[in-house]
Every structure is written in structure tokens, then in C-alpha cells.
Amino acid sequence: MAGGKETPRQKMIGMMYLVLLALLAMNVTKSVLNSFVVINGAMTETNEAFDEKNEATFSEFEKQKSINEAKVLPWYKKAQAVREASKELDDYFANLKIQIIAKTEGLSEEEMAGDLSWVTLDTAEALGNIDTPQHILLGSDETKPVDGAWTMLEMKRKIAEWEEKVLAQFPPNQRESLNIGFKFEGGYNNDGELEPWEITHFYHAPLAAVITDISMFQNQVKNSEYTALNMLMSNISAEDFKFDEIAVKIIPNSNYVVLGDSFKADVIVAAYSTTQAPVLEVGTGLDTAGKGMNDWKVTNMVDESRIKYDNGVAKYGYKPTTEGEVTWGGIIKLKKPGTNQFELYPFEHTFIAAKPSMVVSPTKMNVMYKGLKNPVDVSVAGFSASELVVTVSGGALSGSNGSYFVQPSRESRLVKVNVAVKTKSGATKPMGTAEFRVKSIPKPTPKFATVEGSGRVSLAQVKASRDVTVELKDFMFDGLKYTVTKFDMTAYVKGKKITLTSKGSGIDSQMRTLIGNQRSKDEITIKNIRVNGPNGNELIPGNVVVEIK
């Protein structure tokens, strides 16, 4: 092919060689684009993991605030500000990706105004499009980027605003070490020349690469949020709270005591050393009015044998004999270091003594459903979960220690949960019965291409749909799932009715071909839908009729 007159055969061979090279190049390009899709998916999973870590850190803030609000509240508010700013920027990035994908895919203005939650990189077909993402973010001239909604310049402003809000939550001496800022550094092109940041990321970059870059920006925001929250947490010394005064703390095993059981409480001096035991005096009240500390007295003092000491903690036990509010109090004495003198700290406390009562709470609903293991929590005031004796009539019972599952029998219309307790003497004492009506599980509603029953959607949205799903409407039981095992798809092609059957929930290749042959005002019908659920494999009522816009 390098010189001389070529024969027709040589020309044909040369042409075939060029076609082969082109095909190879196309395959490499497709492989690279698919790699971006895979990387974007992995980045999305990483971002979800960061969300869980940030949620856990913020939950610890809430816990520490409940323990010491005066100390923690200022830092808690700063953590709230960091979370809100980070969520605002993360939501912006998420919406920016949807806008870029939707416009690159060529969605109409009507479609752009509708629900775009289904628009993802996984469903995109124009992965290699380099013109539209560049035009949206940079405009027609990359040296003079455009400004406005969903542009690169708007993105930079959003990032700068986020950085300013986050850094404002920290003292000046901590801002440099926080290191959360975006570095808008460019890169080098093939000629070794340094390019601006926006050129490196968005100039002549395919859709798949642009979306993956924005997912990376989301990752940086969530990572920075995690760093910021943990630095704020370090400012409150969450693992080692320090108290600025000594105060009496009463830790009862319960403020609600059943007749026949004992009231017990730990009485401690906060931040007190365990190497020195306090001295506790307990009675029904205190006499401190108009007297100096050394003249304070405990009224109706109890027998000292009721008080035990263990590693600096005074333990007191008392068994009430009548119902009602019980008031007790006393003085705890702490020896001053290096002296034989005591500091006295008076205290009073009340608790309720009551007869046993029983509570049966359905944790998910007000009724029980056939074919399901209905979760039920059972508790009896004054008794631990291990002391409960629970039986059921009209169904089967499983579970233990206060958390149970009740599965009604097929013929039952009423389920009774019977509760008893084991007393300390070993006897079984009935506490009561709770009754629940039994209902059947409602049939699920089928859905395809966001349509339930019938509706009009674009052909692009139908092509993006991967399967037929079902869901329960207005059903209060969480966690119940149905799996589609079979359905028929019917449509017309050139006046001929075609029906295809799927052996699962997914849209197979033949169905995709059938969908691709549809035009505006054509209809696709999903019918004969079978599902696996609590009642086994069953045919559910209802079809889905999708009209192409």
C-alpha cells in the first residue's frame, strides 16, 4: 500500500484494513467509557459509606449534647452548620450531574420539567459525547467560560461558599490544619503545557469522564465533612468529660418499682476517686434549715446494714411495701484530702412504687397480617424481658426476651397474646391478654417505566427502564417484598400483535427490540404478572399500559 499501482484486490485489502482499525478504535473507546461508568459506580458506593460515617459522627454529637448540653451545644451548632453546607453542595453536584446527562441524552423541555430521578450514568447512551457537557459547563469558547446556571463558574462559586461556611465554624488556629479546600490546579497537555483546571476536567472530555469527575468532587466534600466533624468533636473532649464542680449523682436501677421487688440505687460523688470510700447516711428526709453544715441531720435514719460500699460507690437498697411516691434522702460525706474533716453533700430523691402492669405493643402495625411474621414487643413494668412467659392463641410464636414474631394461622380472625411473668419465688403469674384483628395482605401494584395502571411517557424513558416492579400501596408493614417472576409484554409492530414472555422481572433483549420499534402514540402492555411473596408464587391483578409520547 506504500507505493506503485495497486490492483483492485490490493485496494480492497487496504480498505478492509482501515475498517478493521476503525472498529478496533471504537472498541477501545467503548471499553474506556465503560470503565468510567464502573469507576463512577465505585465512587458512588464510597460516597454512601462516607454518608454513614458522617451520620454516625453527628449522632455522637447528639448523644454528647444530651449528656452535657451547656458544654456541647456551641460545637453541636457548628457541626449542624457543617452538615447543612455540605449537604447543600452535595445536592447541587447531584442535580448538576442529572442536568448534564439529561441534556446530553437529548431530553425535551417537557421531559426536563418532569421527574428526572431515573437519569443516571448507568442508563445513559451518549457516554462518548464531548460537545454537550463542554457547552453546558464552559460554553462555545473554552477560553472565555460562560456564566449562569449549571456552569463551571457557578460550580466554583458554590464550592467557595461551602468552604467559607465550613471554615467559619473553626478558630483561626485550626483552619490551616483542617485542609478541606478544593485545589483548582490544572494539568499538563500532550505538549507539556500547563492547562487551567476547567480545561483539564471539562474540555473535550466525554460525558462519562465529566460525570465521574463530579462524583469525585462529591467524595471530596463528604471526606472534608468527615474531617471537619471529627475536629469539632475533638474540641469537646467527647471521650473524657470533665466536670467543674462536685455534685451528688443518684443512679437508681429504676424509678418505677413493683410491690414485692426492691428499689436499688447507686449514690456517687461525680469525679470522685475510687481509692477513697465516701460515708453515706440515709433516711426519709433532711433537716438543714437554718443550720450550719456540721449540724445537718438525716431524719429517720435507716439501718446502716442497708448500705454497701464498693470502689468509692455507696450502694443502697430498699423494698417498699405500699403503692405511691416514696421520698428518701441523706448526706454523703467526702473526706478532704490530707485532713480528717469531711465535706457534706445533701441530696433527696423520689421514686414510684406501683402494682405490676403489662404492655403488649405491635411494633409495625395495629393489626396482624396472615402469611407474615408480625413483630411484637412485650414488656411488663418491674420485670426483665427474661422473666416473661408469652403464649399465643390463633397463631404461632417465635422470638424471645421481649421481642417476638406472631404468625396468624390461615383460619384465624383474631390473635390473642397471653403474658405471664416468673416471680422471684419461681411461680408463674398471669399479667393479661392483648387481642389483635387478623387481615389479609393487600395485593401489590405493578409498575413499569414509572407508570402505574396507564400513562404516557417518552420512548427514551421506556428504553431506560430495566424491569417490571411491584409495590404495596399504603401498607404499614415495613420490609415486605414481592419479586416479579414472570410477565407478558404485548405491543404492535406494523399492525402485527407481538406478545413476549419474561421469566423474571427484567426486560430481555427481544423486549428491548420490541420497545425500539415503537413510535409516538403506540402502546405497550404489561400483563399476566406473577410474583413471589408471603403466599408463594401468585398471579396479581392489574396490567400496566404505557403509551409512547
Side-chain angles (χ1 to χ4, degrees):
M1 294 177 62
K5 187 176 181 180
E6 296 179 335
T7 67
R9 177 179 175 81
Q10 288 175 322
K11 290 181 179 180
M12 182 183 68
I13 293 174
M15 186 177 297
M16 292 177 63
Y17 179 76
L18 291 175
V19 172
L20 177 60
L21 287 178
L23 289 173
L24 287 174
M26 289 175 64
N27 287 335
V28 170
T29 301
K30 184 177 180 181
S31 175
V32 171
L33 294 174
N34 287 335
S35 296
F36 275 112
V37 176
V38 173
I39 293 171
N40 184 72
M43 193 73 68
T44 300
E45 293 180 358
T46 301
N47 289 341
E48 291 173 353
F50 265 120
D51 284 339
E52 294 178 0
K53 292 168 65 176
N54 290 335
E55 181 63 31
T57 304
F58 194 76
S59 296
E60 182 62 19
F61 260 108
E62 294 179 327
K63 176 182 176 182
Q64 296 300 336
K65 182 172 71 74
S66 68
I67 295 174
N68 191 339
E69 183 170 354
K71 182 176 183 179
V72 179
L73 185 59
W75 299 105
Y76 174 81
K77 290 182 177 180
K78 293 177 180 294
Q80 276 186 316
V82 169
R83 290 210 79 192
E84 291 170 359
S86 300
K87 185 180 185 306
E88 182 179 351
L89 182 56
D90 180 62
D91 289 344
Y92 170 80
F93 282 137
N95 289 326
L96 176 61
K97 290 194 295 186
I98 290 175
Q99 290 291 322
I100 294 174
I101 295 172
K103 291 178 180 179
T104 304
E105 290 290 287
L107 269 65
S108 65
E109 291 184 3
E110 181 182 2
E111 292 170 327
M112 292 288 291
D115 179 18
L116 296 178
S117 60
W118 57 274
V119 177
T120 66
L121 192 61
D122 293 330
T123 64
E125 296 181 357
L127 296 176
N129 187 312
I130 63 175
D131 296 323
T132 305
Q134 176 182 322
H135 183 77
I136 295 171
L137 294 165
L138 301 177
S140 57
D141 185 356
E142 69 276 7
T143 63
K144 298 178 181 179
V146 295
D147 199 356
W150 313 119
T151 64
M152 177 274 299
L153 292 179
E154 182 191 58
M155 181 197 305
K156 275 191 170 182
R157 285 195 299 273
K158 295 284 187 181
I159 293 173
E161 291 169 3
W162 165 77
E163 290 178 357
E164 182 178 358
K165 290 177 182 177
V166 172
L167 291 174
Q169 310 311 315
F170 293 85
N173 62 331
Q174 291 186 350
R175 294 176 186 174
E176 292 184 2
S177 60
L178 188 58
N179 191 27
I180 67 165
F182 273 64
K183 293 181 172 61
F184 297 103
E185 299 176 350
Y188 291 91
N189 60 22
N190 294 333
D191 297 326
E193 297 173 342
L194 183 63
E195 294 178 329
W197 174 82
E198 60 269 21
I199 299 298
T200 301
H201 286 278
F202 307 126
Y203 180 68
H204 277 185
L207 173 66
V210 170
I211 298 304
T212 302
D213 270 0
I214 298 175
S215 294
M216 179 183 67
F217 299 160
Q218 289 178 289
N219 179 265
Q220 187 168 345
V221 171
K222 296 176 187 295
N223 191 6
S224 298
E225 179 186 358
Y226 178 75
T227 301
L229 289 177
N230 278 276
M231 184 172 287
L232 289 171
M233 179 67 74
S234 69
N235 283 298
I236 64 173
S237 301
E239 296 180 357
D240 185 20
F241 273 98
K242 299 177 178 64
F243 297 93
D244 55 8
E245 65 180 30
I246 296 177
V248 176
K249 298 296 179 182
I250 302 170
I251 308 174
N253 65 337
S254 175
N255 285 324
Y256 192 94
V257 180
V258 175
L259 293 179
D261 203 354
S262 296
F263 169 78
K264 297 179 180 179
D266 293 340
V267 181
I268 66 172
V269 175
Y272 180 63
S273 173
T274 59
T275 61
Q276 184 181 22
V279 175
L280 177 63
E281 296 177 354
V282 176
T284 58
L286 290 171
D287 183 8
T288 60
K291 298 180 180 179
M293 179 186 297
N294 293 330
D295 295 323
W296 290 350
K297 292 183 179 180
V298 176
T299 58
N300 300 318
M301 286 184 59
V302 303
D303 186 351
E304 291 183 358
S305 63
R306 296 184 186 177
I307 303 171
K308 306 294 182 184
Y309 299 94
D310 182 19
N311 291 326
V313 177
K315 298 179 180 290
Y316 168 65
Y318 171 66
K319 182 181 291 186
T321 56
T322 58
E323 292 182 72
E325 185 178 84
V326 178
T327 300
W328 66 291
I331 296 173
I332 190 166
K333 300 179 180 180
L334 183 63
K335 183 178 288 188
K336 297 178 180 179
T339 71
N340 289 322
Q341 297 179 340
F342 288 87
E343 288 285 349
L344 277 60
Y345 300 94
F347 66 90
E348 288 186 326
H349 185 250
T350 60
F351 63 91
I352 301 297
K355 292 181 178 180
S357 62
M358 179 269 294
V359 177
V360 179
S361 302
T363 58
K364 301 290 184 183
M365 66 221 77
N366 293 322
V367 296
M368 293 189 178
Y369 290 91
K370 292 182 181 180
L372 296 179
K373 290 186 175 181
N374 299 264
V376 176
D377 286 346
V378 181
S379 63
V380 176
F383 292 88
S384 66
S386 61
E387 296 173 317
L388 301 180
V389 180
V390 182
T391 58
V392 167
S393 57
L397 179 72
S398 59
S400 62
N401 291 327
S403 296
Y404 303 91
F405 294 94
V406 177
Q407 186 166 3
S409 57
R410 290 182 178 274
E411 65 280 0
S412 294
R413 294 186 178 181
L414 189 70
V415 168
K416 295 182 178 181
V417 179
N418 311 300
V419 181
V421 295
K422 293 180 181 178
T423 64
K424 296 188 181 300
S425 63
T428 300
K429 182 178 180 180
M431 304 301 295
T433 297
E435 297 182 350
F436 300 93
R437 293 178 295 111
V438 177
K439 296 180 65 176
S440 298
I441 305 171
K443 297 297 182 182
T445 302
K447 184 177 182 180
F448 175 63
T450 72
V451 175
E452 297 176 4
S454 61
R456 299 179 70 239
V457 296
S458 66
L459 182 59
Q461 194 164 348
V462 177
K463 288 181 177 181
S465 300
R466 296 291 185 259
D467 50 22
V468 174
T469 60
V470 293
E471 62 180 33
L472 289 172
K473 292 291 186 180
D474 301 322
F475 187 55
M476 302 305 294
F477 195 101
D478 295 335
L480 178 59
K481 293 183 179 180
Y482 283 85
T483 303
V484 176
T485 60
K486 185 179 179 182
F487 67 89
D488 292 339
M489 175 183 287
T490 299
Y492 286 85
V493 177
K494 296 181 179 179
K496 181 180 179 181
K497 180 180 179 181
I498 298 176
T499 299
L500 301 175
T501 300
S502 173
K503 298 293 186 180
S505 64
I507 305 299
D508 59 27
S509 59
Q510 288 183 314
M511 291 180 174
R512 294 198 178 283
T513 301
L514 181 59
I515 292 171
N517 287 324
Q518 301 305 296
R519 297 296 180 265
S520 177
K521 296 185 178 180
D522 286 348
E523 289 185 350
I524 300 172
T525 302
I526 306 297
K527 58 185 180 179
N528 297 328
I529 304 169
R530 300 192 70 87
V531 297
N532 267 338
N535 297 322
N537 191 276
E538 59 179 327
L539 179 69
I540 63 171
N543 301 330
V544 180
V545 179
V546 177
E547 181 183 349
I548 307 300
K549 288 183 179 180

